Amino acid sequence: MTKTILLFLKHPLTVVGIITAVLFQVFFSTIWITGYDHVTDRVNKLPVAIVNEDGSASKPLADGIAASLTFETRYPMTLTAAKEALENRKIRMIVVIPKGFSGSLADSAAHPSITYYINASNPSMVSTAMGTAAGKITASLNGHVNETMLDSLVKSLSLLEQQAGILKNSITGRISSNVVTLHPVDNFAKLMVPLMFVTASFTGAMMLAMNLAKASTLLEGKSGKWQRLAARFVITGVTAALVSLTGAGMTYGLGISAERGFLALWAFEFVVILACMFVAQMSLFLLGDIGAWVNIALLSIQMLSSGATIPREVLSPLYNAVGTVFPAYYAVDGIMNLIIGGPGLGRDFTGLVLIGGAAAALCILLTGLRRDRAAAPQPSPSAESTASIS
């Protein structure tokens, strides 16, 4: 047994396997811990829009909300512009003071409400944080309304002193919340599909890249470098089509459908997987076998910075910037749009094509720069005849 173990340990594949297992722990621990470090301290970077449809009468109220929020505020802003930004995930919630709000405060029989728009086509952390914030805003308005703001409101309504006293005493507890959810999610599994798909796509791309590189090395003496590169690209494209069809089919088969239909999901997944495959192969073209270890780090970075688990605003600037140059960011955004709901896929599709195209171009460039090993000479017929006679 000891002799067999030593034989295993002397084999390069065993050593590479052990190093790979260790590097998975090193890369994931380093990247994920540093990436998620103090994320909750950066929740205040989530942008929130404030829309005042009640004009100057509620301006003190809107100013008070803007000053009290711990988030980045977009104020003033029109409801149309705010809804467009919310749909595109450029803001995370809209706080709307509706028309006639200040007047309803003066009417003891009225029940004024603040409207909140939240987009559920986001990481679950966003919906949770924004829902909590909406409740706190309403509670603050009901229980701790600024005295100066009330005085300004009373003055703007030209109320008598007795009426002002009634207003101040009756306002507490009367304001309610009206939460409007865009793209409501009826199945939590939908929120996990983007992360699942990105992880499966790049992991599969890593495995394919390593095996194609090994096969290409074994065929080096039998086929030219350009023929091998062309074959790798053809196999990559066919495999991407097959894998994307499998992924889209499994998604539909397990009860998760896309708003734009099966063909749109398949086509987008094909572009995602193709981009992942070219990026994974690029590492191996650049660094040889070490590129396989680099791909482990790229997998971890993309899972962290894609926006699938936490909003990108709360990431550190480094991970936020790095994430935009890899496929996962655009893949998650597009899959969310397809599965949960959102704007068109133009930006995400363009980003994936540019990344995949750049990686493929670099593979072609590196192939051209490298000298191919000459094919093994074939024995001449005369030599074969001489050998057979002897």
Short mmCIF file of all heavy atoms in Angstrom, two decimals, residues 217-261:
data_model
loop_
_atom_site.label_atom_id
_atom_site.label_comp_id
_atom_site.label_asym_id
_atom_site.label_seq_id
_atom_site.Cartn_x
_atom_site.Cartn_y
_atom_site.Cartn_z
N THR A 217 -2.31 19.45 -27.27
CA THR A 217 -0.90 19.11 -27.03
C THR A 217 -0.56 17.73 -27.57
O THR A 217 0.49 17.51 -28.19
CB THR A 217 -0.58 19.18 -25.53
OG1 THR A 217 -0.85 20.50 -25.05
CG2 THR A 217 0.88 18.85 -25.27
N LEU A 218 -1.45 16.77 -27.36
CA LEU A 218 -1.23 15.41 -27.84
C LEU A 218 -1.23 15.33 -29.36
O LEU A 218 -0.57 14.47 -29.96
CB LEU A 218 -2.31 14.47 -27.28
CG LEU A 218 -2.27 14.24 -25.76
CD1 LEU A 218 -3.48 13.42 -25.32
CD2 LEU A 218 -0.98 13.53 -25.36
N LEU A 219 -1.98 16.24 -30.01
CA LEU A 219 -2.08 16.23 -31.46
C LEU A 219 -1.07 17.13 -32.13
O LEU A 219 -1.10 17.30 -33.36
CB LEU A 219 -3.50 16.66 -31.88
CG LEU A 219 -4.64 15.73 -31.46
CD1 LEU A 219 -5.99 16.38 -31.76
CD2 LEU A 219 -4.52 14.39 -32.18
N GLU A 220 -0.16 17.70 -31.33
CA GLU A 220 0.75 18.71 -31.87
C GLU A 220 1.63 18.18 -32.99
O GLU A 220 1.93 18.89 -33.94
CB GLU A 220 1.62 19.27 -30.74
CG GLU A 220 2.40 20.51 -31.15
CD GLU A 220 3.07 21.17 -29.96
OE1 GLU A 220 2.71 20.85 -28.81
OE2 GLU A 220 3.96 22.01 -30.19
N GLY A 221 2.05 16.95 -32.90
CA GLY A 221 2.89 16.39 -33.96
C GLY A 221 2.12 15.84 -35.13
O GLY A 221 2.72 15.40 -36.12
N LYS A 222 0.79 15.84 -35.05
CA LYS A 222 -0.04 15.23 -36.08
C LYS A 222 -0.84 16.24 -36.89
O LYS A 222 -1.37 15.91 -37.95
CB LYS A 222 -1.01 14.22 -35.46
CG LYS A 222 -0.32 13.10 -34.69
CD LYS A 222 -1.33 12.17 -34.04
CE LYS A 222 -0.64 11.07 -33.24
NZ LYS A 222 -1.62 10.17 -32.58
N SER A 223 -0.96 17.46 -36.39
CA SER A 223 -1.76 18.46 -37.08
C SER A 223 -1.16 19.84 -36.81
O SER A 223 -0.58 20.07 -35.75
CB SER A 223 -3.21 18.40 -36.59
OG SER A 223 -4.00 19.36 -37.24
N GLY A 224 -1.31 20.76 -37.76
CA GLY A 224 -0.76 22.10 -37.62
C GLY A 224 -1.51 22.92 -36.59
O GLY A 224 -2.65 22.62 -36.21
N LYS A 225 -0.87 24.00 -36.14
CA LYS A 225 -1.45 24.81 -35.07
C LYS A 225 -2.75 25.48 -35.48
O LYS A 225 -3.68 25.62 -34.68
CB LYS A 225 -0.45 25.87 -34.59
CG LYS A 225 -0.02 26.88 -35.65
CD LYS A 225 0.98 27.87 -35.09
CE LYS A 225 1.39 28.92 -36.12
NZ LYS A 225 2.39 29.87 -35.58
N TRP A 226 -2.85 25.90 -36.75
CA TRP A 226 -4.08 26.57 -37.19
C TRP A 226 -5.22 25.57 -37.35
O TRP A 226 -6.38 25.91 -37.08
CB TRP A 226 -3.83 27.31 -38.51
CG TRP A 226 -2.89 28.46 -38.35
CD1 TRP A 226 -1.65 28.59 -38.88
CD2 TRP A 226 -3.12 29.65 -37.59
NE1 TRP A 226 -1.08 29.79 -38.50
CE2 TRP A 226 -1.97 30.46 -37.71
CE3 TRP A 226 -4.18 30.12 -36.81
CZ2 TRP A 226 -1.85 31.70 -37.09
CZ3 TRP A 226 -4.07 31.36 -36.20
CH2 TRP A 226 -2.91 32.13 -36.34
N GLN A 227 -4.90 24.37 -37.79
CA GLN A 227 -5.93 23.34 -37.89
C GLN A 227 -6.45 22.97 -36.50
O GLN A 227 -7.67 22.78 -36.30
CB GLN A 227 -5.38 22.09 -38.59
CG GLN A 227 -5.15 22.24 -40.08
CD GLN A 227 -3.87 22.99 -40.41
OE1 GLN A 227 -3.03 23.21 -39.54
NE2 GLN A 227 -3.73 23.39 -41.68
N ARG A 228 -5.53 22.88 -35.55
CA ARG A 228 -5.96 22.55 -34.18
C ARG A 228 -6.79 23.68 -33.58
O ARG A 228 -7.79 23.43 -32.88
CB ARG A 228 -4.74 22.27 -33.29
CG ARG A 228 -3.93 21.06 -33.73
CD ARG A 228 -3.02 20.53 -32.61
NE ARG A 228 -2.25 21.57 -31.97
CZ ARG A 228 -1.08 22.02 -32.44
NH1 ARG A 228 -0.58 21.54 -33.58
NH2 ARG A 228 -0.41 22.96 -31.79
N LEU A 229 -6.39 24.92 -33.83
CA LEU A 229 -7.16 26.06 -33.31
C LEU A 229 -8.55 26.09 -33.91
O LEU A 229 -9.55 26.29 -33.20
CB LEU A 229 -6.43 27.37 -33.60
CG LEU A 229 -7.16 28.64 -33.14
CD1 LEU A 229 -7.22 28.70 -31.61
CD2 LEU A 229 -6.49 29.89 -33.69
N ALA A 230 -8.63 25.89 -35.23
CA ALA A 230 -9.94 25.88 -35.89
C ALA A 230 -10.82 24.77 -35.34
O ALA A 230 -12.02 24.96 -35.10
CB ALA A 230 -9.76 25.72 -37.40
N ALA A 231 -10.22 23.60 -35.12
CA ALA A 231 -10.99 22.49 -34.56
C ALA A 231 -11.49 22.82 -33.16
O ALA A 231 -12.64 22.49 -32.81
CB ALA A 231 -10.12 21.23 -34.54
N ARG A 232 -10.64 23.45 -32.35
CA ARG A 232 -11.05 23.82 -30.99
C ARG A 232 -12.22 24.80 -31.03
O ARG A 232 -13.17 24.70 -30.24
CB ARG A 232 -9.87 24.43 -30.23
CG ARG A 232 -8.81 23.42 -29.85
CD ARG A 232 -7.56 24.05 -29.30
NE ARG A 232 -7.74 24.55 -27.94
CZ ARG A 232 -6.73 24.90 -27.14
NH1 ARG A 232 -5.48 24.81 -27.58
NH2 ARG A 232 -6.96 25.34 -25.92
N PHE A 233 -12.16 25.76 -31.94
CA PHE A 233 -13.24 26.75 -32.04
C PHE A 233 -14.54 26.11 -32.50
O PHE A 233 -15.63 26.45 -32.00
CB PHE A 233 -12.84 27.87 -33.00
CG PHE A 233 -11.97 28.93 -32.37
CD1 PHE A 233 -11.35 28.72 -31.14
CD2 PHE A 233 -11.76 30.15 -32.99
CE1 PHE A 233 -10.55 29.68 -30.55
CE2 PHE A 233 -10.97 31.13 -32.41
CZ PHE A 233 -10.37 30.90 -31.18
N VAL A 234 -14.45 25.18 -33.47
CA VAL A 234 -15.66 24.51 -33.94
C VAL A 234 -16.28 23.67 -32.82
O VAL A 234 -17.49 23.70 -32.58
CB VAL A 234 -15.35 23.63 -35.17
CG1 VAL A 234 -16.54 22.74 -35.51
CG2 VAL A 234 -14.99 24.49 -36.36
N ILE A 235 -15.44 22.92 -32.12
CA ILE A 235 -15.93 22.10 -31.00
C ILE A 235 -16.52 22.98 -29.91
O ILE A 235 -17.57 22.65 -29.32
CB ILE A 235 -14.78 21.23 -30.44
CG1 ILE A 235 -14.35 20.19 -31.47
CG2 ILE A 235 -15.19 20.55 -29.14
CD1 ILE A 235 -13.10 19.43 -31.10
N THR A 236 -15.87 24.11 -29.67
CA THR A 236 -16.39 25.05 -28.66
C THR A 236 -17.78 25.55 -29.04
O THR A 236 -18.69 25.59 -28.20
CB THR A 236 -15.43 26.24 -28.51
OG1 THR A 236 -14.17 25.78 -28.02
CG2 THR A 236 -15.98 27.27 -27.53
N GLY A 237 -17.96 25.94 -30.30
CA GLY A 237 -19.26 26.46 -30.74
C GLY A 237 -20.36 25.41 -30.67
O GLY A 237 -21.47 25.68 -30.19
N VAL A 238 -20.05 24.19 -31.14
CA VAL A 238 -21.05 23.11 -31.11
C VAL A 238 -21.40 22.75 -29.67
O VAL A 238 -22.57 22.54 -29.33
CB VAL A 238 -20.53 21.88 -31.88
CG1 VAL A 238 -21.47 20.70 -31.70
CG2 VAL A 238 -20.36 22.21 -33.37
N THR A 239 -20.37 22.69 -28.82
CA THR A 239 -20.62 22.37 -27.41
C THR A 239 -21.46 23.44 -26.74
O THR A 239 -22.36 23.14 -25.94
CB THR A 239 -19.29 22.19 -26.65
OG1 THR A 239 -18.50 21.20 -27.32
CG2 THR A 239 -19.54 21.76 -25.22
N ALA A 240 -21.17 24.71 -27.05
CA ALA A 240 -21.95 25.82 -26.46
C ALA A 240 -23.41 25.72 -26.86
O ALA A 240 -24.31 25.96 -26.04
CB ALA A 240 -21.37 27.16 -26.90
N ALA A 241 -23.67 25.36 -28.12
CA ALA A 241 -25.06 25.20 -28.57
C ALA A 241 -25.74 24.06 -27.82
O ALA A 241 -26.90 24.18 -27.40
CB ALA A 241 -25.08 24.95 -30.07
N LEU A 242 -25.03 22.95 -27.66
CA LEU A 242 -25.60 21.79 -26.97
C LEU A 242 -25.84 22.09 -25.49
O LEU A 242 -26.91 21.77 -24.94
CB LEU A 242 -24.67 20.59 -27.12
CG LEU A 242 -25.07 19.31 -26.38
CD1 LEU A 242 -26.41 18.80 -26.89
CD2 LEU A 242 -23.99 18.24 -26.54
N VAL A 243 -24.85 22.71 -24.84
CA VAL A 243 -24.97 23.00 -23.40
C VAL A 243 -26.08 24.02 -23.15
O VAL A 243 -26.87 23.88 -22.20
CB VAL A 243 -23.62 23.52 -22.84
CG1 VAL A 243 -23.79 24.00 -21.41
CG2 VAL A 243 -22.57 22.43 -22.91
N SER A 244 -26.16 25.05 -23.98
CA SER A 244 -27.21 26.06 -23.79
C SER A 244 -28.60 25.47 -24.02
O SER A 244 -29.56 25.83 -23.32
CB SER A 244 -26.98 27.25 -24.73
OG SER A 244 -26.98 26.84 -26.09
N LEU A 245 -28.71 24.57 -24.98
CA LEU A 245 -30.01 23.90 -25.21
C LEU A 245 -30.37 23.05 -24.00
O LEU A 245 -31.53 23.03 -23.57
CB LEU A 245 -29.92 23.03 -26.46
CG LEU A 245 -31.17 22.22 -26.81
CD1 LEU A 245 -32.36 23.14 -27.06
CD2 LEU A 245 -30.91 21.34 -28.03
N THR A 246 -29.38 22.38 -23.44
CA THR A 246 -29.62 21.57 -22.24
C THR A 246 -30.04 22.45 -21.07
O THR A 246 -31.00 22.14 -20.35
CB THR A 246 -28.35 20.78 -21.86
OG1 THR A 246 -27.96 19.96 -22.96
CG2 THR A 246 -28.61 19.92 -20.64
N GLY A 247 -29.33 23.56 -20.87
CA GLY A 247 -29.65 24.47 -19.77
C GLY A 247 -31.03 25.07 -19.89
O GLY A 247 -31.80 25.10 -18.92
N ALA A 248 -31.36 25.58 -21.09
CA ALA A 248 -32.69 26.17 -21.30
C ALA A 248 -33.77 25.11 -21.15
O ALA A 248 -34.84 25.36 -20.57
CB ALA A 248 -32.76 26.82 -22.67
N GLY A 249 -33.52 23.91 -21.69
CA GLY A 249 -34.50 22.84 -21.58
C GLY A 249 -34.73 22.41 -20.15
O GLY A 249 -35.87 22.18 -19.73
N MET A 250 -33.64 22.29 -19.37
CA MET A 250 -33.78 21.92 -17.96
C MET A 250 -34.54 23.00 -17.18
O MET A 250 -35.37 22.69 -16.32
CB MET A 250 -32.40 21.71 -17.35
CG MET A 250 -31.67 20.46 -17.82
SD MET A 250 -32.47 18.94 -17.29
CE MET A 250 -32.24 19.04 -15.51
N THR A 251 -34.26 24.26 -17.49
CA THR A 251 -34.94 25.36 -16.80
C THR A 251 -36.44 25.28 -17.04
O THR A 251 -37.25 25.36 -16.10
CB THR A 251 -34.40 26.71 -17.28
OG1 THR A 251 -32.99 26.77 -17.04
CG2 THR A 251 -35.08 27.86 -16.55
N TYR A 252 -36.84 25.11 -18.29
CA TYR A 252 -38.27 25.00 -18.61
C TYR A 252 -38.85 23.72 -18.04
O TYR A 252 -39.98 23.70 -17.53
CB TYR A 252 -38.47 25.05 -20.13
CG TYR A 252 -38.84 26.42 -20.64
CD1 TYR A 252 -37.89 27.42 -20.71
CD2 TYR A 252 -40.15 26.71 -21.02
CE1 TYR A 252 -38.21 28.68 -21.18
CE2 TYR A 252 -40.49 27.97 -21.48
CZ TYR A 252 -39.52 28.95 -21.56
OH TYR A 252 -39.86 30.21 -22.01
N GLY A 253 -38.09 22.62 -18.14
CA GLY A 253 -38.59 21.35 -17.66
C GLY A 253 -38.84 21.33 -16.16
O GLY A 253 -39.72 20.60 -15.68
N LEU A 254 -38.10 22.16 -15.42
CA LEU A 254 -38.27 22.22 -13.96
C LEU A 254 -39.23 23.33 -13.53
O LEU A 254 -39.30 23.67 -12.36
CB LEU A 254 -36.90 22.41 -13.30
CG LEU A 254 -35.94 21.22 -13.46
CD1 LEU A 254 -34.55 21.57 -12.96
CD2 LEU A 254 -36.48 20.00 -12.71
N GLY A 255 -39.95 23.90 -14.50
CA GLY A 255 -41.03 24.82 -14.16
C GLY A 255 -40.68 26.29 -14.14
O GLY A 255 -41.48 27.12 -13.70
N ILE A 256 -39.48 26.67 -14.62
CA ILE A 256 -39.09 28.09 -14.68
C ILE A 256 -39.10 28.53 -16.13
O ILE A 256 -38.31 28.04 -16.94
CB ILE A 256 -37.68 28.31 -14.08
CG1 ILE A 256 -37.60 27.76 -12.66
CG2 ILE A 256 -37.33 29.80 -14.11
CD1 ILE A 256 -38.49 28.46 -11.67
N SER A 257 -40.01 29.45 -16.47
CA SER A 257 -40.12 29.90 -17.86
C SER A 257 -39.56 31.31 -18.01
O SER A 257 -39.38 32.03 -17.03
CB SER A 257 -41.59 29.87 -18.31
OG SER A 257 -42.37 30.72 -17.48
N ALA A 258 -39.29 31.68 -19.25
CA ALA A 258 -38.77 33.02 -19.55
C ALA A 258 -39.87 33.89 -20.13
O ALA A 258 -40.72 33.41 -20.90
CB ALA A 258 -37.61 32.92 -20.55
N GLU A 259 -39.86 35.16 -19.76
CA GLU A 259 -40.90 36.07 -20.23
C GLU A 259 -40.88 36.23 -21.75
O GLU A 259 -41.91 36.47 -22.36
CB GLU A 259 -40.74 37.44 -19.56
CG GLU A 259 -41.12 37.47 -18.09
CD GLU A 259 -41.28 38.88 -17.57
OE1 GLU A 259 -40.90 39.83 -18.28
OE2 GLU A 259 -41.78 39.03 -16.44
N ARG A 260 -39.71 36.14 -22.35
CA ARG A 260 -39.59 36.33 -23.80
C ARG A 260 -39.57 35.01 -24.58
O ARG A 260 -39.26 35.00 -25.77
CB ARG A 260 -38.35 37.16 -24.12
CG ARG A 260 -38.44 38.60 -23.64
CD ARG A 260 -37.11 39.32 -23.87
NE ARG A 260 -37.19 40.72 -23.55
CZ ARG A 260 -37.05 41.23 -22.33
NH1 ARG A 260 -36.85 40.42 -21.31
NH2 ARG A 260 -37.14 42.52 -22.12
N GLY A 261 -39.82 33.91 -23.90
CA GLY A 261 -39.93 32.63 -24.58
C GLY A 261 -38.66 31.79 -24.55
O GLY A 261 -37.57 32.26 -24.21
#
